[in-house]
Amino acid sequence: MAIVLYHHPYTRAANVVWMLEEVGVPYQLKYLDLQAGEHKRPEIMALNPMGKVPILQDDKATVTESAAIGLYLADRYALGKLAPALDNPDRGTYLRWSVFAPSVIEPGSMAKAANWTFRESNAGFGNYESMIGCMQSAIGGRKWLLGEQFSMADAIFGGTVSYMLRFKLLEPLPEFTSYSERIEQRPARQRANAINAKVAEEHGLGR
Ligand SMILES: N[C@@H](CCC(=O)N[C@@H](CS)C(=O)NCC(=O)O)C(=O)O
């Protein structure tokens, strides 16, 4: 059975289309009309009790959480290519920045934008300036997070960076903008953009 992605082009599911294009496996998109609340239907809630997309189904496996989906796809279909092999020391760096995106960058940026008050030492995402410095050190002076080799960590971490730059949720520091430009030049990214735009058009979604 082909991989199925429950999708809406203006959500994080759009980034999963990029991941799938990088991996190069056949897949099918199932559009969910979020305006109509289709993602809250019982059959979708049974797959993801959060009632959110993306949701990926691969035979008997159901995976939610964009970062987990990326890691799953790379391990399952591109181990040694988009994911370092289990005994490769790069795997530590690979996992580190893959998990940093949803656990630090997303809540850290939200906390900053929404002016949350919290004790930095108690919050897993800590201090905003430290987070930015960490991100600069992760990508500064190299092409991809692992150096010359693009990996799924770039689709996870880089997808977050690109999205946040686009919606002005992240300062356009040179390390981030040049990284995002490299991402936009990738053929898989361009194919994914075209697919997401086509789905948006088919469903009459304007931006
Ligand atoms: N942590 C999840 C977040 C998923 C998420 O927030 N999805 C949003 C769209 S980007 C959604 O489905 N929102 C609809 C809703 O919550 O009703 C992930 O990374 O996949």
Side-chain angles (χ1 to χ4, degrees):
M1 194 179 101
I3 291 173
V4 172
L5 173 66
Y6 289 88
H7 173 256
H8 184 289
Y10 295 164
T11 67
R12 288 167 173 86
N15 205 57
V16 176
V17 175
W18 175 32
M19 294 170 176
L20 285 159
E21 288 294 323
E22 289 286 356
V23 170
V25 281
Y27 63 94
Q28 187 190 331
L29 296 181
K30 282 202 185 162
Y31 174 79
L32 289 179
D33 184 344
L34 300 194
Q35 297 272 43
E38 285 183 349
H39 54 313
K40 306 294 180 188
R41 282 188 185 160
E43 64 272 26
I44 303 299
M45 296 294 288
L47 299 176
N48 182 7
M50 289 295 285
K52 285 179 176 286
V53 290
I55 303 168
L56 184 119
Q57 280 193 300
D58 182 16
D59 198 7
K60 294 193 176 73
T62 300
V63 195
T64 68
E65 298 304 316
S66 310
I69 292 172
L71 295 172
Y72 170 86
L73 287 172
D75 279 352
R76 176 86 174 78
Y77 296 107
L79 192 59
K81 296 182 193 119
L82 291 175
L86 297 186
D87 59 353
N88 183 335
D90 277 350
R91 196 155 167 100
T93 306
Y94 170 80
L95 291 172
R96 176 185 183 189
W97 299 124
S98 296
V99 173
F100 194 83
S103 64
V104 180
I105 305 174
E106 285 205 26
S109 304
M110 177 70 87
K112 168 97 170 159
N115 256 320
W116 290 354
T117 24
F118 60 94
R119 206 207 265 260
E120 285 174 3
S121 56
N122 288 351
F125 46 87
N127 171 276
Y128 184 78
E129 283 68 35
S130 304
M131 176 191 94
I132 295 291
C134 223
M135 291 168 70
Q136 286 176 294
S137 76
I139 194 58
R142 53 182 73 79
K143 189 171 178 190
W144 304 114
L145 291 165
L146 298 183
E148 282 305 301
Q149 180 65 43
F150 175 88
S151 73
M152 188 58 83
D154 293 295
I156 299 169
F157 181 102
T160 302
V161 167
S162 283
Y163 173 88
M164 291 196 157
L165 284 175
R166 185 167 167 211
F167 291 100
K168 304 198 181 335
L169 299 167
L170 189 63
E171 295 164 63
L173 299 175
E175 293 90 340
F176 303 154
T177 54
S178 60
Y179 181 43
S180 182
E181 280 160 23
R182 287 193 290 285
I183 285 172
E184 294 308 331
Q185 282 161 14
R186 293 188 67 78
R189 174 76 172 192
Q190 291 170 2
R191 287 197 300 277
N193 287 345
I195 292 164
N196 285 313
K198 185 163 175 275
V199 173
E201 196 187 322
E202 280 167 4
H203 292 277
L205 306 172
R207 259 229 151 137

PDB file of all heavy atoms in Angstrom, residues 19 36 53 69 74 79 98 108 131 137 143 165 167 185 193 206:
ATOM      1  N   MET A  19       9.700  16.494   2.327  1.00  0.00           N
ATOM      2  CA  MET A  19      10.421  15.317   2.841  1.00  0.00           C
ATOM      3  C   MET A  19      10.208  14.107   1.931  1.00  0.00           C
ATOM      4  O   MET A  19      11.159  13.386   1.600  1.00  0.00           O
ATOM      5  CB  MET A  19       9.918  14.976   4.251  1.00  0.00           C
ATOM      6  CG  MET A  19      10.227  16.017   5.299  1.00  0.00           C
ATOM      7  SD  MET A  19       9.330  15.613   6.829  1.00  0.00           S
ATOM      8  CE  MET A  19       9.954  16.896   7.917  1.00  0.00           C
ATOM      9  N   ALA A  36     -13.600  23.265   7.152  1.00  0.00           N
ATOM     10  CA  ALA A  36     -14.819  22.483   7.410  1.00  0.00           C
ATOM     11  C   ALA A  36     -14.633  21.566   8.616  1.00  0.00           C
ATOM     12  O   ALA A  36     -15.558  20.828   8.977  1.00  0.00           O
ATOM     13  CB  ALA A  36     -15.176  21.661   6.173  1.00  0.00           C
ATOM     14  N   VAL A  53      -2.874  18.039  11.460  1.00  0.00           N
ATOM     15  CA  VAL A  53      -2.050  17.480  10.390  1.00  0.00           C
ATOM     16  C   VAL A  53      -0.640  18.038  10.543  1.00  0.00           C
ATOM     17  O   VAL A  53      -0.465  19.102  11.152  1.00  0.00           O
ATOM     18  CB  VAL A  53      -2.625  17.842   8.996  1.00  0.00           C
ATOM     19  CG1 VAL A  53      -3.913  17.104   8.748  1.00  0.00           C
ATOM     20  CG2 VAL A  53      -2.800  19.338   8.794  1.00  0.00           C
ATOM     21  N   ILE A  69       7.915  12.284  11.558  1.00  0.00           N
ATOM     22  CA  ILE A  69       7.626  11.782  10.208  1.00  0.00           C
ATOM     23  C   ILE A  69       8.909  11.811   9.367  1.00  0.00           C
ATOM     24  O   ILE A  69       9.246  10.854   8.678  1.00  0.00           O
ATOM     25  CB  ILE A  69       6.495  12.613   9.552  1.00  0.00           C
ATOM     26  CG1 ILE A  69       5.163  12.361  10.278  1.00  0.00           C
ATOM     27  CG2 ILE A  69       6.367  12.278   8.064  1.00  0.00           C
ATOM     28  CD1 ILE A  69       4.006  13.260   9.843  1.00  0.00           C
ATOM     29  N   ALA A  74      13.254   8.877   6.697  1.00  0.00           N
ATOM     30  CA  ALA A  74      14.682   8.763   6.369  1.00  0.00           C
ATOM     31  C   ALA A  74      15.245   7.425   6.852  1.00  0.00           C
ATOM     32  O   ALA A  74      15.989   6.757   6.129  1.00  0.00           O
ATOM     33  CB  ALA A  74      15.445   9.933   6.982  1.00  0.00           C
ATOM     34  N   LEU A  79      18.130   5.280   4.748  1.00  0.00           N
ATOM     35  CA  LEU A  79      19.187   5.143   5.759  1.00  0.00           C
ATOM     36  C   LEU A  79      20.552   5.099   5.058  1.00  0.00           C
ATOM     37  O   LEU A  79      20.722   4.413   4.049  1.00  0.00           O
ATOM     38  CB  LEU A  79      18.953   3.868   6.580  1.00  0.00           C
ATOM     39  CG  LEU A  79      19.787   3.720   7.846  1.00  0.00           C
ATOM     40  CD1 LEU A  79      19.557   4.868   8.824  1.00  0.00           C
ATOM     41  CD2 LEU A  79      19.484   2.397   8.560  1.00  0.00           C
ATOM     42  N   SER A  98      17.496  17.863  14.574  1.00  0.00           N
ATOM     43  CA  SER A  98      16.135  17.458  14.192  1.00  0.00           C
ATOM     44  C   SER A  98      15.172  17.680  15.352  1.00  0.00           C
ATOM     45  O   SER A  98      14.045  18.138  15.161  1.00  0.00           O
ATOM     46  CB  SER A  98      16.100  15.974  13.803  1.00  0.00           C
ATOM     47  OG  SER A  98      16.880  15.737  12.660  1.00  0.00           O
ATOM     48  N   GLY A 108      10.214  28.350  21.560  1.00  0.00           N
ATOM     49  CA  GLY A 108      11.027  29.531  21.905  1.00  0.00           C
ATOM     50  C   GLY A 108      10.572  30.749  21.116  1.00  0.00           C
ATOM     51  O   GLY A 108      10.473  31.860  21.653  1.00  0.00           O
ATOM     52  N   MET A 131      19.145  30.530  22.089  1.00  0.00           N
ATOM     53  CA  MET A 131      18.581  29.685  21.021  1.00  0.00           C
ATOM     54  C   MET A 131      19.071  30.165  19.651  1.00  0.00           C
ATOM     55  O   MET A 131      19.527  29.365  18.824  1.00  0.00           O
ATOM     56  CB  MET A 131      17.054  29.751  21.074  1.00  0.00           C
ATOM     57  CG  MET A 131      16.375  28.990  19.972  1.00  0.00           C
ATOM     58  SD  MET A 131      14.612  29.360  19.908  1.00  0.00           S
ATOM     59  CE  MET A 131      14.583  30.669  18.697  1.00  0.00           C
ATOM     60  N   SER A 137      25.273  28.685  15.272  1.00  0.00           N
ATOM     61  CA  SER A 137      26.431  27.781  15.329  1.00  0.00           C
ATOM     62  C   SER A 137      26.131  26.483  14.579  1.00  0.00           C
ATOM     63  O   SER A 137      27.025  25.852  14.030  1.00  0.00           O
ATOM     64  CB  SER A 137      26.825  27.492  16.776  1.00  0.00           C
ATOM     65  OG  SER A 137      25.937  26.580  17.360  1.00  0.00           O
ATOM     66  N   LYS A 143      27.383  24.218   4.564  1.00  0.00           N
ATOM     67  CA  LYS A 143      26.285  24.191   3.596  1.00  0.00           C
ATOM     68  C   LYS A 143      25.016  23.630   4.232  1.00  0.00           C
ATOM     69  O   LYS A 143      23.941  24.191   4.124  1.00  0.00           O
ATOM     70  CB  LYS A 143      26.718  23.338   2.393  1.00  0.00           C
ATOM     71  CG  LYS A 143      25.784  23.392   1.233  1.00  0.00           C
ATOM     72  CD  LYS A 143      26.416  22.702   0.020  1.00  0.00           C
ATOM     73  CE  LYS A 143      25.441  22.706  -1.147  1.00  0.00           C
ATOM     74  NZ  LYS A 143      25.908  21.856  -2.235  1.00  0.00           N
ATOM     75  N   LEU A 165      11.224  32.419   8.685  1.00  0.00           N
ATOM     76  CA  LEU A 165      11.715  33.621   7.970  1.00  0.00           C
ATOM     77  C   LEU A 165      10.583  34.196   7.116  1.00  0.00           C
ATOM     78  O   LEU A 165      10.354  35.404   7.095  1.00  0.00           O
ATOM     79  CB  LEU A 165      12.883  33.250   7.056  1.00  0.00           C
ATOM     80  CG  LEU A 165      14.235  33.019   7.725  1.00  0.00           C
ATOM     81  CD1 LEU A 165      15.255  32.542   6.686  1.00  0.00           C
ATOM     82  CD2 LEU A 165      14.757  34.286   8.420  1.00  0.00           C
ATOM     83  N   PHE A 167       7.412  34.055   7.483  1.00  0.00           N
ATOM     84  CA  PHE A 167       6.351  34.725   8.249  1.00  0.00           C
ATOM     85  C   PHE A 167       6.917  35.683   9.301  1.00  0.00           C
ATOM     86  O   PHE A 167       6.223  36.050  10.240  1.00  0.00           O
ATOM     87  CB  PHE A 167       5.396  33.685   8.841  1.00  0.00           C
ATOM     88  CG  PHE A 167       4.600  33.009   7.762  1.00  0.00           C
ATOM     89  CD1 PHE A 167       4.951  31.758   7.291  1.00  0.00           C
ATOM     90  CD2 PHE A 167       3.527  33.660   7.166  1.00  0.00           C
ATOM     91  CE1 PHE A 167       4.240  31.148   6.250  1.00  0.00           C
ATOM     92  CE2 PHE A 167       2.805  33.065   6.132  1.00  0.00           C
ATOM     93  CZ  PHE A 167       3.166  31.807   5.676  1.00  0.00           C
ATOM     94  N   GLN A 185      16.624  26.169  -3.546  1.00  0.00           N
ATOM     95  CA  GLN A 185      17.202  25.742  -4.822  1.00  0.00           C
ATOM     96  C   GLN A 185      17.108  24.223  -5.030  1.00  0.00           C
ATOM     97  O   GLN A 185      17.377  23.721  -6.109  1.00  0.00           O
ATOM     98  CB  GLN A 185      18.675  26.155  -4.898  1.00  0.00           C
ATOM     99  CG  GLN A 185      18.832  27.632  -5.224  1.00  0.00           C
ATOM    100  CD  GLN A 185      20.205  28.155  -4.853  1.00  0.00           C
ATOM    101  OE1 GLN A 185      21.124  27.380  -4.600  1.00  0.00           O
ATOM    102  NE2 GLN A 185      20.336  29.463  -4.800  1.00  0.00           N
ATOM    103  N   ASN A 193       6.880  22.481  -3.643  1.00  0.00           N
ATOM    104  CA  ASN A 193       6.189  23.774  -3.727  1.00  0.00           C
ATOM    105  C   ASN A 193       5.122  23.738  -4.819  1.00  0.00           C
ATOM    106  O   ASN A 193       4.002  24.233  -4.632  1.00  0.00           O
ATOM    107  CB  ASN A 193       7.179  24.914  -4.016  1.00  0.00           C
ATOM    108  CG  ASN A 193       8.041  25.241  -2.812  1.00  0.00           C
ATOM    109  OD1 ASN A 193       7.748  24.831  -1.687  1.00  0.00           O
ATOM    110  ND2 ASN A 193       9.130  25.972  -3.034  1.00  0.00           N
ATOM    111  N   GLY A 206      -6.901  30.730  -1.624  1.00  0.00           N
ATOM    112  CA  GLY A 206      -6.059  31.860  -2.011  1.00  0.00           C
ATOM    113  C   GLY A 206      -5.211  32.250  -0.831  1.00  0.00           C
ATOM    114  O   GLY A 206      -5.527  31.874   0.286  1.00  0.00           O
TER     115      GLY A 206
END
